[in-house]
Amino acid sequence: LSIAVALLHQPSLLILDEPTNGLDPNGMLAIRELLKKLNQETGITILISSHLLAEIDKLVTHVGIINKGQLLFQGTLADLKEQQTVSMVFETNNADQALKLFRANSIQARVIDGKVITPALSKGCVARLNQQLVAHGLDVYEISLVKNDLEAIFMNLTSH
């Protein structure tokens, strides 16, 4: 209802604070679709203030991150996501032995919570490492690619 009232005067700029807060999943989806439609069909610029980063990720094209009165980032969502880091996680039955094998292959790695973490690797490199781990008697339980999300990017920007 508040959005409808705000649209009565056909504004060129609509400013919303937490437009999906407190809504059920269907309501959140409906509001997202409404806002996208308003922007695309009427050209209204919509400024959204929100701490719900998953919602921001689904809705916006441009982002500004403000922390303690300072603008830390302003640009497209794609530009912000370029700051995303990617890592590989290897879970084996012996992380320390796996770490030695990775270092013998000149791969930067560290052990966190019993798992070996490396920077992103090519598929071929992952396959070779997996073969070597098994050949050295290690059980490989999982190999996964992990990307930090908007929350992690936000925390990295605001923690400095």
Side-chain angles (χ1 to χ4, degrees), residues 83-153:
Q83 298 185 26
Q84 187 175 58
T85 58
V86 180
S87 56
M88 302 292 302
V89 178
F90 293 79
E91 185 177 358
T92 69
N93 61 325
N94 188 329
D96 292 328
Q97 190 175 346
L99 180 64
K100 289 176 188 174
L101 181 78
F102 284 41
R103 289 187 174 157
N105 281 281
S106 300
I107 295 173
Q108 291 181 332
R110 64 189 190 282
V111 174
I112 299 176
D113 295 329
K115 298 176 183 176
V116 181
I117 313 295
T118 71
L121 303 169
S122 70
K123 289 180 180 182
C125 184
V126 171
R128 284 188 300 280
L129 287 169
N130 187 43
Q131 290 170 347
Q132 289 178 17
L133 290 167
V134 172
H136 282 83
L138 294 172
D139 294 330
V140 179
Y141 304 128
E142 182 178 354
I143 301 172
S144 56
L145 181 69
V146 178
K147 296 179 180 180
N148 63 355
D149 56 9
L150 281 183
E151 180 179 312
I153 296 168

Side-chain angles (χ1 to χ4, degrees), residues 71-85:
L71 184 63
L72 301 179
F73 177 86
Q74 180 179 354
T76 67
L77 186 58
D79 288 343
L80 179 63
K81 286 184 173 185
E82 283 183 11
Q83 298 185 26
Q84 187 175 58
T85 58

Side-chain angles (χ1 to χ4, degrees), residues 26 37 41 44 52 55 59 67 80 91 110 125 155:
N26 288 330
K37 186 176 179 181
E41 292 181 5
I44 294 175
L52 301 173
E55 279 299 299
L59 189 57
N67 186 41
L80 179 63
E91 185 177 358
R110 64 189 190 282
C125 184
M155 295 306 292

